[in-house]
Structures are given as C-alpha cells and as structure tokens.
Amino acid sequence: MRTDTGRIIHLADYRPTDFVLERVDLTFELDPEATKVEARLIFHRRDGADPSAPLVLDGDELDLSGLLLDQMEMARERYTATPDTLVVRDLPESSPFELTITTIINPQANSQLMGLYRSSGIYCTQCEAEGFRRITYFPDRPDVLAPYTVTIIADKAANPLLLSNGNYLGGGNFDEGRHFAAWFDPHPKPSYLFALVAGDLGVVEDKFTTMSGREVALKIYVEHGKEPRAAYAMDALKRSMKWDEEVFGREYDLDIFMIVAVSDFNMGAMENKGLNVFNDKYVLADPETATDADYANIEAIIAHEYFHNWTGNRITCRDWFQLCLKEGLTVFRDHEFSADQRSRPVKRIAEVRHLRSEQFPEDAGPLAHPVRPDKYREINNFYTTTVYEKGSEVTRMIATILGRDLFKKGMDLYFERHDGEAATVEDFVRCFEAASGRDLGQFSLWYNQAGTPHVTVTADYDAAGKALTLEIEQTVPATPGQSDKKPMHIPLNLALVLEDGTIAVPASVEGAEMTGSVLHLKDARHTVTFTGIPSRPALSLNRSFSAPIVVRYDQKPADLALIARHETDLFSRWQAITDLALPALKDAARAARKGEAIQLDVTFADALLAVAADPALEPAFRAQALTLPSEADIARELGGDNDPDAIHTGREAVLTAIARTGADTFGSLYDTMTPDGGYSPDAASAGRRALRNAALLYRTIAEDTPALAADAFARADNMTDLAQALTVLSHRFPEAPETHAALASFEARFAENALVIDKWFQIQATIPGEGALARVMRLKQDRHFNENNPNRVRSLVGAFVFSNPTGFNRADGAGYRFLSEEILRIDAKNPQLAARLLTSMRSWRQLEAGRAELARTALVRVEREVLSNDVRDIVDRTLKG
Ligand code: B3K
Ligand code: ZN
C-alpha cells in the first residue's frame, strides 16, 4: 500500500528533467505472480544541466532485481534503490548511456488496477497518471517523451494475444509453449500512454481508409462470444475517425488502431497510443442488454479516446497541472461530435444538466479547484468534472468569443506548433491569440480562478425612449485557497424576445462590447443600454449556455412562458421551462420542511405540457422538457440547511400535480410514441422512447398503481423500455408483488450478463427512502455482488451514495456510517475507487445541522483510520474547506 507522504506538488516548482530520454526498449516475460520486466533506457544529460546531478527515477512498490550501465553491472555504491525511487550517481557528463533495469512484479496481486494487473485471465495495464512507475523505475512524468519498442513473452495457450502500442513488428514461438510478439511505436510518447494487453480474447475487425488514402486496420478485442456486441462501437469508431478528418483535419497516424474491452477497470477508458483500453461497459451493446443512454455513452467515449490521439497523445501535457489541456479540449471535441451525430440542442441540454448536477456542486464545495489547479497532493483526485466538463466549457467559450473560423485557425496553429510536444495551457491560449489578434489575458482567468461566477441582472425598459437598460453585476465566490477574485471575461449570449415572439435587433448597444448576440462582460459591473427596442422585451440570457455561470434575474412567469414558446434557441426554451418549474419545486420543499401543507399553483405546467404535446418539436427535446430538475438540483438551488426528505416530498407533490393536469397529454403520448419498427439505437428513435417513457412515469404517478409499468415490463422488447419499467415499478412500488416478480425475472434472465446485473443493482440501490440502506446491505450479500469489480461496487455503493439522496442522507446518519466503513474497506484494495466514492460527501455542509454533524462524524472517522494518500487527500479537503 502506498504510504501517505503528505507531499504537495506545486505548479510553480516545475522544472525540466536533468536527463533526456532518447529511447525505451521494454521486455516483459509474463507470469501471473512474477513477471520479469527488463527496461533498457537510453539517456543523455540535458544541455546546461548540472554535470554531477544524479538520475532520479520514480517507482511505486518496486523491487530492483538488476541494474546495468551500458551492459555492465553497476557497482552498489553508485545507486540507491527503494520501493519508490532509484537514484543513480556518477553518470556520463554528456555522452549517451544505456541503463538496463530489471524488476519483478506481481500482476495477480495488483488490486489497485494501476500499473500491470491481471484479472479474469487477462493481463492489462493502466498507467495514467502514475501507474508506469509500478512496472519499472522510470522518469514517470508526461514531459518525458520517447519512442518505445516492446517485446512480450508469454505462455501461448493462455495468452495467444500479445498487444502493445504502435505497429506490429513480428513474433514467433519459443520452446516450452512460450511465444513472443514485438511492437514499435515511432511516435514519441510519455509513459502514461504505454499499454500492454495479453490473454485470450475474441476480435472484431474492420478497416478505415484515411483522407490521404492510407489503410488502417481496426480491431476491437472482447471476451469470446461477445463479438456481436462490439458492432456499434466499431461503427462509432469509424464515424469518429471520419469526423476528426472533416471537422478538425486530423488523420490517424499508425497502421493499426486497437481497442480492448476489459471488465475490471477503474474508469471509463484510456487513450493509450494505438491501443485504447476500455471498461467493457463502454464497448458492448445490443438492444436486448443496452439502453439508449448506453449507446450514446459508447459513441461519446469511443470518440473521446480516439480524439485523444491528437489532443493528448500527439500533443501531450507538460505536467499534470495541464490536465485540462487534453481533457477539457477532448471533451469539447466529443461533445461537438455527438452534437453533429445526434441533436445539437438536446445534446447541449444534457451537457448542461450534467455540468450543473456534478460540476457546480464541486465548484461550490470544499473540493473546488481551478480548471488548471496550481497544487495537488494526489493527481488521481484531479480527474474531476471541473477539469473535464468545465474545461470543455472554457474551450467552448474561446470558440464563442472568436467565432468558428478564428477558432479553427487557432486549433490548426496549435496542431502545427506543438505536434510532438508536451504543452501548457499558455501555449494553447497563445495560439488563439496569434490566430485572432485578440488579447485573451483576462479570459485566461477561467483556467485559474475556481468557483462558478454569479451574474445578477436587473432590467429597466423606457417605453418613451424605446430603450432597455440592464444593470449587470458579476461576482465569483470565494473557494478554498482563493478568497479574492477578479472579474472574468464572460461571453453572455442573449436575446430580447418581443411580445409577438420575434427577437428585437437593437439600433445600438452601449456599455459593453457586443459581437453578434454575444455581450462581452469584463467588468464587475456594466450598465448596458439597447436602443430601438419597440416594446418591453423578455430577456433570454445565456443562450445555448454560452458561459458556465449562474444567472440571477427575476424573470416574470409570463416572460418565461413567452421564451418557452418562441425562442429560436431551443436550449433557452428548455431553460425557460425549467425556470418556470423551479419556484414550485423550491416552495414545495420549503413547505415540506416546515411540515406545512404543500399549496401548488400549477399554471407553470401549461408551458411544459404545451411543449410536450407539440408535434413540431423533436421527441427527445419534449422528453427533456418533461424531466424536472432532480432532487440534487433543487438542493443546490435552495443553497443550504437542506433536508433531502423535504425536497423529495416537495418534488413528488409537483410531479403528481403535473401528472394529473396533463393526464390526457400523457395518455396520448404513451399511445402514439410507439416504435416505427424494430429497435434502432439512433437518436430519433431513442427520443420517441424517452418521451413515451416519460409519459409512463407520469401516468403511473397519476394512476398510483403498478399495473401500467408491470405491463410495460412484460411487453418491452429492448433494454431501454425494460429498465425504465423496472425503475418505475421498483422506485414507486418497492413492495408490490409486481415489483418482486419483475426483479426476480430480470435477475434470472440476465444472470450471466455482468453489465445488466449492474443495472439490477443500480435500480435497487436508488429506491428512495429510509429502507434503502437495509436493501443495499442485503444486496451486498447477494451472490452477484463482487467487491473486487469496480463496476459492481459503483452500481451498488456508488449508486446509493451519489444517486439516492433520501436513502443515503437518512436522518439518523446510518448512511454516512455505512459509507465510512465501505471507504475504509475498499481503500485497502483500491484507493482510487475509494477516493472517488468519498467525493459523494462534497456537499455535506449544505445539509441541515443534524445531518451535517452526523456527516462530519463519519468523515472524522475516515480521517482517523485511512491508509491511502488518495482518500486522505479527499477527506482532509472535505473536512477543511
Ligand atoms: N485519460 C483517461 C483518464 C485517466 C484517469 C487516471 N486516474 C481517460 C480519459 O479521460 O480519456
Ligand atoms: Zn480524456
């Protein structure tokens, strides 16, 4: 177990290595418990480096078993080896030298799933961020780039497949049933992009011809028998390759591109050069076992990892502080890809929902950090929605500010200038400045200042002068370690919607620069005047979510209804509907909190139902309109002293009111939004299913019987409908015989399919209410539960702590105690997984006093007993911030 050094790494301390790595040559002799790794590394001392500086290499739980310098054994006094460093002294002043380092590692015992591990009979690696140092001593940092040659030797019967990065060089047989394969990756890369996979897997093959006419072999490796379920992933891969050529002008650069799906993986997927490794959840799909959301995720993640080939691999990060340089940019690219493949507005709505529910709480709590942090204690804890999703929003704002053409010019310049390099955020921003001639100095604060900016707007219309004046104020809340914030450059897209539904074109704008419909806010306060506005307009603010901010504007319901009906920006129509529903949800929660009767004015539901029934709108959008803000969204809007039970009760009352008011609409949607033919995962068909399933929920609420959902469960011919019917049944009628029967039949039917059994766990773990904890504890004893599989742990424990607000936040604190015990147990095996689960406590200070105190007690216990650096970092910050 890695011991906590408590050491904090600072961006300001960055300096290049004393030695330049020229080449890497690795030989693996695979064995489940004693794999021999021989690393031949050619270095030379960097120009200008101290001629007496030793070479310091990173390790993690390593044991050195041999060290040669230029093929000669090294004298003991010239080096010092510990499990986490190898220091070599008296090295040549300028000439290149070769170090041969031998280590013996135990892949079978590697339960952290970092470095080289073996599970379900497959050898697999995960090296980002600092896993390579668990394989051999190495300058394990992203600014050390070299070409790699890899030779893998293994038992042939158990491991017919021997894969690594780059192009295949050749292979052959050895005696005693062993064989070998050699790979060469000509593109210099950092160690975190290294990968090795060995074992016995099935393959799906295809090919792609690049824009310059080169043929690339495409291979997706999956467990034998699962090949048909990789067809959609292959299709998504080919579409991604084509899209990156057409939209970003980026071509693939090796003869082969491989994806391997594994079932034990800490994260979604990993972009290793030419050899992506995936959690099989994001590869395998067929209509019987995958939902529409699964298909959309597969498409997005296949694209994301593929896009990293340029944004991440060809141009990598100088240091881990620059993580958003590859992640934020690549998320932006995958968002754009999905928007082009599916419905742009619906995709945007889904992105913003996700940002608000995951990133906003992070940015408002003790774990808040800038998109580019300036210090860390454990880098694995910085693969966050702030780095990824807010990082993507920051890239999107650059595109909004510069416009499409200049953004493209800046991206081209970035690829041209930095190909083959390890770059920084400053390098990236400079390319857009050079391409556009604009100064992005103030804009760059988005990388360095944490916290979600609040923009408060008041409006005054002067009918006589036909002028609209806006007072706009921005504030950026204090976050841990950052109390004073400077005003940011906020691109605020807005529209003035007139009573007849048209959008006013002002004669002049004063008080802030405006390009197209985007107002550039740069000062703490602006007074902006629009002239030539014929009548008092409704103000549609932050259209398409042009900036990741919270807008505070006291909008009249009639204006929101106008926007919901007429805005040309569909995102804003959805936002208006949400804003119409929010006051009812908040009021209902407040009333429930005080134990008062909930009085509802449901006039807001008219706008929502009008959109739901509008045949001119795409069904997926209509389904989004029917999906009310979640309980977590309402908690965030309430902003403190939160009682999750009251929020739940209030939201239920609002849902019931909508269900009753809209009974006719939901009846007819349920009858008409039926499939056109057999199942197809395309976005339009998925939209119809989403709308019909939303109708199923509302109808069930209005009718208050399990009959309809039980019927839907019996008739479903695809996993989307089946899982939704099971969710409605079990969440609404957990004790009904229909629910027990459905859960049992689902389990029996899919007992052999781990990914579907994950859904079975997840649906049950999120059944609301006090009884959830007992159910989760019972499910932990189920024969399907497996504590060593991260997907399974996330589907039960993760679903409970992240997605069951009433169950987890039980008033007696039993949910928090359960989490603290789970964290301590999981931490002993897999610290990364444990640390991630503990981030479910990030909003604990927003809870009412009784729960907050119980949450604090549970955190203190974790702090007292924790072992790993990963969990210690999270628990310390969560308690302190
Ligand atoms: N780059 C990886 C994430 C690695 C996480 C390491 N703790 C996947 C991705 O973002 O594409
Ligand atoms: Zn990524």
Side-chain angles (χ1 to χ4, degrees):
M1 185 53 42
R2 197 167 347 163
T3 43
D4 176 31
T5 55
R7 193 160 69 99
I8 310 240
I9 321 280
H10 293 269
L11 170 59
D13 294 342
Y14 173 83
R15 61 177 202 91
T17 54
D18 288 326
F19 293 87
V20 176
L21 180 62
E22 296 180 10
R23 268 185 40 202
V24 178
D25 191 339
L26 302 170
T27 303
F28 290 82
E29 288 178 41
L30 294 178
D31 178 272
E33 283 161 12
T35 288
K36 182 174 162 200
V37 184
E38 190 186 85
R40 291 167 61 168
L41 312 177
I42 298 181
F43 289 101
H44 66 259
R45 201 178 291 267
R46 190 182 295 280
D47 273 352
D50 173 359
S52 66
L55 173 67
V56 182
L57 301 179
D58 305 300
D60 181 9
E61 295 187 320
L62 287 180
D63 188 9
L64 181 70
S65 75
L67 184 62
L68 310 180
L69 176 64
D70 293 325
Q71 295 302 316
M72 306 280 286
E73 199 148 329
M74 278 205 92
R76 269 311 277 115
E77 64 278 9
R78 285 180 70 187
Y79 68 90
T80 314
T82 68
D84 51 19
T85 30
L86 172 62
V87 180
V88 189
R89 291 173 289 270
D90 308 326
L91 289 165
E93 260 182 48
S94 58
S95 54
F97 57 91
E98 183 191 70
L99 273 190
T100 305
I101 302 167
T102 305
T103 48
I104 310 282
I105 54 179
N106 183 347
Q108 191 73 50
N110 184 350
S111 65
Q112 292 186 28
L113 313 186
M114 283 296 278
L116 175 67
Y117 63 94
R118 186 169 187 265
S119 67
S120 316
I122 308 291
Y123 291 93
C124 167
T125 53
Q126 171 56 38
C127 293
E128 186 175 2
E130 297 178 337
F132 194 78
R133 63 184 65 184
R134 296 170 55 75
I135 295 172
T136 188
Y137 292 102
F138 201 80
D140 191 14
R141 39 188 279 173
D143 62 344
V144 175
L145 279 64
Y148 282 53
T149 307
V150 178
T151 306
I152 310 167
I153 303 164
D155 177 63
K156 189 170 181 174
N159 308 285
L161 202 67
L162 305 173
L163 309 178
S164 191
N165 318 84
N167 295 322
Y168 181 62
L169 285 180
N173 291 325
F174 285 149
D175 46 12
E176 292 172 5
R178 315 260 299 163
H179 72 149
F180 79 97
W183 295 81
F184 175 61
D185 181 3
H187 299 284
K189 67 165 174 291
S191 50
Y192 82 85
L193 291 173
F194 166 80
L196 176 157
V197 172
D200 187 3
L201 292 167
V203 66
V204 178
E205 301 189 70
D206 208 325
K207 47 183 187 277
F208 180 82
T209 306
T210 69
M211 59 188 184
S212 69
R214 276 188 314 100
E215 197 167 279
V216 179
L218 308 178
K219 301 191 190 234
I220 301 186
Y221 294 95
V222 297
E223 272 176 31
H224 286 293
K226 295 185 175 169
E227 294 87 348
R229 288 165 64 201
Y232 184 78
M234 182 63 91
D235 179 58
L237 173 61
K238 289 191 288 181
R239 285 185 281 123
S240 306
M241 295 178 85
K242 186 108 196 91
W243 186 90
D244 212 17
E245 292 185 346
E246 289 172 358
V247 179
F248 280 86
R250 297 296 107 202
E251 186 177 4
Y252 187 61
D253 53 5
L254 288 166
D255 302 340
I256 180 168
F257 185 79
M258 298 175 280
I259 290 174
V260 180
V262 299
S263 48
D264 295 292
F265 206 57
N266 271 346
M267 61 213 91
M270 179 63 211
E271 70 264 24
N272 317 299
K273 182 77 187 189
L275 178 55
N276 288 186
V277 176
F278 269 64
N279 187 325
D280 60 1
K281 175 180 163 72
Y282 297 119
V283 173
L284 301 174
D286 63 18
E288 198 196 348
T289 58
T291 62
D292 291 326
D294 292 328
Y295 278 99
N297 281 333
I298 290 170
E299 180 180 82
I301 297 177
I302 292 271
H304 180 98
E305 306 309 332
Y306 174 72
F307 296 159
H308 267 315
N309 190 56
W310 274 94
T311 50
N313 302 4
R314 289 287 288 251
I315 307 179
T316 192
C317 301
R318 187 193 72 174
D319 52 67
W320 291 121
F321 298 102
Q322 321 295 329
L323 186 56
C324 68
L325 180 67
K326 73 178 180 82
E327 296 305 347
L329 175 56
T330 305
V331 171
F332 171 73
R333 277 152 54 67
D334 86 57
H335 283 177
E336 284 297 291
F337 169 73
S338 295
D340 283 348
Q341 302 284 314
R342 292 165 175 259
S343 154
R344 183 165 284 270
V346 171
K347 173 68 181 151
R348 191 66 187 135
I349 293 165
E351 284 160 18
V352 174
R353 275 189 192 274
H354 178 71
L355 189 84
R356 285 186 177 139
S357 72
E358 303 300 323
Q359 199 277 327
F360 277 23
E362 181 166 276
D363 228 357
L367 300 178
H369 55 275
V371 169
R372 182 179 62 185
D374 58 8
K375 55 176 188 295
Y376 63 77
R377 183 163 166 189
E378 173 50 63
I379 187 57
N380 283 326
N381 291 335
F382 283 83
Y383 288 76
T384 59
T385 56
T386 296
V387 168
Y388 277 65
E389 274 78 18
K390 189 174 179 182
S392 165
E393 294 302 320
V394 173
T395 311
R396 181 177 298 280
M397 284 190 287
I398 298 180
T400 302
I401 290 169
L402 298 192
R404 209 189 158 88
D405 294 346
L406 289 176
F407 178 74
K408 172 89 171 54
K409 213 172 139 199
M411 281 303 307
D412 288 346
L413 186 59
Y414 176 63
F415 291 126
E416 189 187 312
R417 271 192 190 170
H418 297 290
D419 185 14
E421 290 181 6
T424 62
V425 164
E426 283 77 7
D427 292 331
F428 180 66
V429 172
R430 265 197 294 272
C431 291
F432 294 101
E433 293 188 317
S436 67
R438 306 253 184 106
D439 176 359
L440 294 173
Q442 184 188 11
F443 179 81
S444 295
L445 285 171
W446 280 104
Y447 289 103
N448 302 320
Q449 283 193 162
T452 307
H454 285 229
V455 172
T456 310
V457 179
T458 57
D460 184 36
Y461 181 68
D462 166 16
K466 299 204 178 317
L468 176 78
T469 300
L470 305 181
E471 297 290 340
I472 307 177
E473 188 181 347
Q474 61 159 294
T475 53
V476 187
T479 48
Q482 291 187 335
S483 44
D484 291 326
K485 306 286 170 94
K486 299 195 187 86
M488 322 263 271
H489 177 179
I490 297 174
L492 187 72
N493 191 342
L494 58 80
L496 311 179
V497 184
L498 301 172
E499 237 162 329
D500 62 359
T502 59
I503 291 176
V505 182
S508 73
V509 183
E510 262 167 48
E513 184 200 341
M514 192 154 180
T515 50
S517 53
V518 177
L519 201 58
H520 296 268
L521 306 176
K522 295 183 176 175
D523 301 332
R525 270 193 196 77
H526 285 264
T527 303
V528 181
T529 306
F530 300 88
T531 62
I533 311 299
S535 59
R536 193 192 68 80
L539 207 50
S540 176
L541 294 166
N542 212 20
R543 302 169 88 205
S544 292
F545 204 68
S546 58
I549 55 173
V550 173
V551 175
R552 296 281 175 227
Y553 174 55
D554 202 3
Q555 185 89 278
K556 293 187 177 56
D559 284 358
L560 286 170
L562 185 74
I563 294 168
R565 240 185 354 263
H566 296 295
E567 242 286 29
T568 51
D569 180 63
L570 274 179
F571 172 85
S572 297
R573 291 183 71 172
W574 169 80
Q575 182 65 62
I577 293 165
T578 301
D579 289 347
L580 275 167
L582 257 178
L585 291 162
K586 282 161 55 175
D587 289 348
R590 286 193 195 108
R593 172 99 162 91
K594 288 192 218 135
E596 292 168 0
I598 300 175
Q599 311 280 348
L600 279 178
D601 170 6
V602 287
T603 45
F604 77 86
D606 296 344
L608 185 149
L609 291 166
V611 165
D614 186 347
L617 292 166
E618 56 181 323
F621 177 80
R622 294 151 70 187
Q624 284 288 355
L626 287 176
T627 311
L628 290 189
S630 68
E631 289 168 30
D633 290 330
I634 302 163
R636 193 182 62 247
E637 290 291 329
L638 288 169
D641 189 27
N642 288 336
D643 173 352
D645 290 329
I647 292 170
H648 178 79
T649 306
R651 187 172 182 274
E652 284 298 307
V654 175
L655 281 170
T656 308
I658 296 172
R660 290 188 184 143
T661 316
D664 293 346
T665 305
F666 297 126
S668 94
L669 285 175
Y670 193 70
D671 294 339
T672 55
M673 284 294 138
T674 45
D676 292 330
Y679 177 91
S680 156
D682 67 86
S685 315
R688 293 172 68 85
R689 278 186 290 276
L691 187 51
R692 186 164 190 265
N693 280 324
L696 168 68
L697 172 66
Y698 282 106
R699 278 194 62 186
T700 303
I701 293 172
E703 292 162 18
D704 200 22
T705 87
L708 191 65
D711 181 60
F713 183 83
R715 288 171 194 270
D717 66 354
N718 63 78
M719 181 50 74
T720 304
D721 292 342
L722 194 70
Q724 168 70 0
L726 187 62
T727 303
V728 172
L729 272 177
S730 43
H731 286 206
R732 304 257 140 211
F733 312 99
E735 299 311 333
E738 288 89 337
T739 301
H740 289 295
L743 282 168
S745 94
F746 190 93
E747 191 248 357
R749 180 170 163 197
F750 297 108
E752 301 309 317
N753 186 317
L755 298 176
V756 182
I757 292 297
D758 285 343
K759 298 184 198 300
W760 182 78
F761 276 106
Q762 185 245 328
I763 288 170
Q764 296 180 81
T766 48
I767 296 174
E770 220 183 27
L773 179 59
R775 195 174 292 114
V776 169
M777 309 257 260
R778 219 165 41 238
L779 285 166
K780 278 201 65 193
Q781 306 306 319
D782 188 275
R783 71 185 175 100
H784 292 296
F785 189 71
N786 171 6
E787 190 165 79
N788 298 323
N789 176 255
N791 283 356
R792 193 54 48 87
V793 172
R794 283 186 285 255
S795 73
L796 183 60
V797 182
F800 175 64
V801 299
F802 284 107
S803 310
N804 191 339
T806 50
F808 177 50
N809 295 289
R810 249 167 74 146
D812 64 0
Y816 312 137
R817 284 195 292 280
F818 167 78
L819 177 65
S820 63
E821 278 152 25
E822 288 299 305
I823 293 296
L824 292 169
R825 212 189 27 261
I826 297 167
D827 189 40
K829 286 188 186 158
N830 188 334
Q832 231 179 97
L833 179 61
R836 182 55 66 112
L837 289 171
L838 188 58
T839 63
S840 58
M841 296 292 266
R842 67 188 170 206
S843 299
W844 71 276
R845 284 187 201 275
Q846 304 301 312
L847 294 163
E848 49 82 22
R851 285 177 171 87
E853 181 51 27
L854 293 161
R856 202 185 63 81
T857 308
L859 284 165
V860 168
R861 163 150 186 232
V862 173
E863 191 185 39
R864 221 172 31 230
E865 297 176 33
V866 64
L867 287 172
S868 74
N869 200 28
D870 304 58
V871 170
R872 179 163 301 281
D873 171 43
I874 297 287
V875 75
D876 283 356
R877 285 191 283 140
T878 305
L879 277 166
K880 200 166 71 199

